[in-house]
Amino acid sequence: MTAKRVLTERAQALPALAECFRTHGFEGASLSLLCAASGLGKGSLYNFFPGGKAEMMEAVLAQIDDWFAQAIFAPLEQADDPATAITAMMAAVTAYFHGGGRVCLMGWIGLSNARDGFAGQVEGYFARWIAALARCLKSGGVAAQSAMRHAEDAVAGMQGALVLSRALGDQAAFTRLIERLRMALLDALAAA
Amino acid sequence: MTAKRVLTERAQALPALAECFRTHGFEGASLSLLCAASGLGKGSLYNFFPGGKAEMMEAVLAQIDDWFAQAIFAPLEQADDPATAITAMMAAVTAYFHGGGRVCLMGWIGLSNARDGFAGQVEGYFARWIAALARCLKSGGVAAQSAMRHAEDAVAGMQGALVLSRALGDQAAFTRLIERLRMALLDALAAA
DNA sequence: GTCTATAAAGCGATAGAC
DNA sequence: GTCTATCGCTTTATAGAC
């Protein structure tokens, strides 16, 4: 018999920690909450993350970036059919953010003071997203400058949709906004 | 001689408290920070705000709502020239948010857990903004449904511009996004 | 690798002197 | 109305038993 619970890799604890950070924010997620969310004691958490909360958040953001890289960014960059790729992106984003019910940790951290400690990760995430989307539009014949504008508008628009739908307590607003962002991108492709 | 400092109205402390909340968030703004920001001792703060931090935030949000009502919402609702009113709104918004260097407290609180305590104020703020903008567009001849869509897109887009420009550490992105939002609204008016 | 116990610091909030 | 001192609690982080 091994101990009660053995996690050979700290990565197994990351999803629960991520959800705790998403729910309470960086300052609001206390170690007690993070312990409760992950089912681990403080000793175990510090064994995996000697740097404490900051190292946990760093690892969480890294995993989020990895997930987006494979599920969102790569398909955009390698798209055969740009229009289909954009529709797939919006569907994936809607699923990931639970239709507006889940916060974007990257965007949230960017607003906060804790931003300074994770600025590189946050900036890289959004820069890659915009670049991947712009590349997809260009592959569909959209002029470089126009593609960059539309990509920037769309990524900002998705963040705005998350903020607004949560503020209004209205997830249907998220769906409406995302659908109109999708149409705007498809229109840009159609006009090219 | 009176005491060192006498504030006959608690409203005089609100701007400093607001800036402290904007910088550190609700959880992050400790009483020590709020004291330092306002130049008041804890005793004085509790004299003005017996309900503590929550009452301070409530008063701050109420003052923000008042400011927007007179500086942003009312001009939109009473506009003679919708296009001019929209351009004025974007200029006022850019000034208020320091060109992307200042966070929107309403949007931020909406993302956080503290939202539950201020949901009414946050929801009211955004609902009034969207309604005022839609009304302005309608007064310019835009169809009701289209006006509502464009208003929703624009308010979400402004929040997205704040999130994205902070995340990228690039205030120029805010300026670009706001300008394109302005053009989209003017186009909607021109098409009507 | 897991846990509990503990330390030191900071938190929100209150009491009371002036 | 202002301040300082203080309460009780929670926080992050560490130490050590198992």
Side-chain angles (χ1 to χ4, degrees):
Chain A
M1 281 284 281
T2 57
K4 246 191 205 171
R5 172 198 286 259
V6 176
L7 299 178
T8 52
E9 298 180 19
R10 72 178 196 175
Q12 295 179 250
L14 289 181
L17 297 178
E19 210 52 39
C20 191
F21 280 126
R22 264 188 282 263
T23 307
H24 301 95
F26 183 68
E27 342 255 8
S30 69
L31 284 185
S32 340
L33 286 170
L34 291 164
C35 285
S38 63
L40 269 55
K42 296 186 186 183
S44 303
L45 276 183
Y46 271 93
N47 180 54
F48 283 127
F49 308 94
K53 252 173 76 166
E55 189 173 342
M56 296 180 212
M57 176 59 95
E58 201 180 322
V60 161
L61 293 180
Q63 182 175 274
I64 291 174
D65 197 73
D66 284 349
W67 187 89
F68 271 80
Q70 67 91 9
I72 310 276
F73 306 154
L76 284 174
E77 290 162 357
Q78 303 156 4
D80 291 328
D81 178 355
T84 305
I86 282 166
T87 295
M89 175 193 77
M90 289 302 190
V93 163
T94 299
Y96 181 83
F97 291 116
H98 298 176
R102 199 196 217 185
V103 155
C104 177
L105 198 50
M106 292 278 185
W108 191 359
I109 292 298
L111 289 179
S112 81
N113 234 15
R115 175 188 177 279
D116 300 338
F118 313 102
Q121 290 179 291
V122 170
E123 184 184 331
Y125 167 87
F126 283 108
R128 289 182 61 187
W129 195 345
I130 294 170
L133 183 51
R135 182 166 178 163
C136 176
L137 291 169
K138 276 189 283 189
S139 82
V142 178
Q145 204 177 35
S146 173
M148 192 63 192
R149 285 177 192 161
H150 278 99
E152 208 171 56
D153 287 350
V155 172
M158 287 185 267
Q159 293 296 311
L162 287 168
V163 172
L164 188 60
S165 65
R166 263 194 76 91
L168 292 176
D170 174 17
Q171 296 204 24
F174 180 81
T175 309
R176 287 196 300 271
L177 286 158
I178 290 292
E179 176 59 16
R180 293 201 292 267
L181 290 171
R182 187 179 76 89
M183 293 306 297
L185 292 174
L186 295 187
D187 285 350
L189 279 174
Chain B
M1 282 283 281
T2 57
K4 246 191 204 170
R5 171 197 287 260
V6 177
L7 299 178
T8 50
E9 300 181 18
R10 71 178 196 175
Q12 296 180 247
L14 289 181
L17 297 179
E19 210 50 41
C20 191
F21 280 127
R22 263 188 282 264
T23 307
H24 301 94
F26 183 69
E27 342 254 8
S30 69
L31 282 184
S32 340
L33 286 170
L34 291 164
C35 286
S38 63
L40 270 55
K42 295 186 186 184
S44 302
L45 278 183
Y46 272 91
N47 180 54
F48 284 127
F49 307 94
K53 253 174 76 165
E55 189 173 342
M56 296 179 210
M57 176 60 96
E58 200 180 322
V60 161
L61 293 180
Q63 182 176 272
I64 291 175
D65 197 72
D66 283 348
W67 187 89
F68 270 79
Q70 66 90 8
I72 309 277
F73 306 155
L76 284 174
E77 289 161 358
Q78 303 156 2
D80 292 329
D81 178 356
T84 304
I86 281 166
T87 295
M89 175 192 77
M90 289 302 189
V93 163
T94 299
Y96 181 83
F97 291 116
H98 298 175
R102 200 194 216 186
V103 155
C104 177
L105 198 50
M106 292 279 186
W108 191 359
I109 292 297
L111 289 179
S112 80
N113 235 16
R115 175 188 178 279
D116 300 337
F118 313 103
Q121 291 180 290
V122 170
E123 185 183 332
Y125 168 86
F126 283 108
R128 287 182 61 186
W129 196 345
I130 294 171
L133 183 50
R135 182 165 179 165
C136 175
L137 290 169
K138 275 189 282 188
S139 82
V142 179
Q145 202 176 37
S146 174
M148 192 62 193
R149 285 177 191 161
H150 278 100
E152 206 171 57
D153 287 350
V155 173
M158 288 185 265
Q159 292 296 310
L162 287 168
V163 171
L164 189 59
S165 66
R166 263 194 76 91
L168 293 175
D170 176 16
Q171 297 204 24
F174 180 81
T175 309
R176 286 196 301 272
L177 286 158
I178 291 293
E179 176 59 16
R180 292 202 292 268
L181 290 171
R182 187 179 74 89
M183 292 308 297
L185 292 174
L186 295 188
D187 285 352
L189 279 173

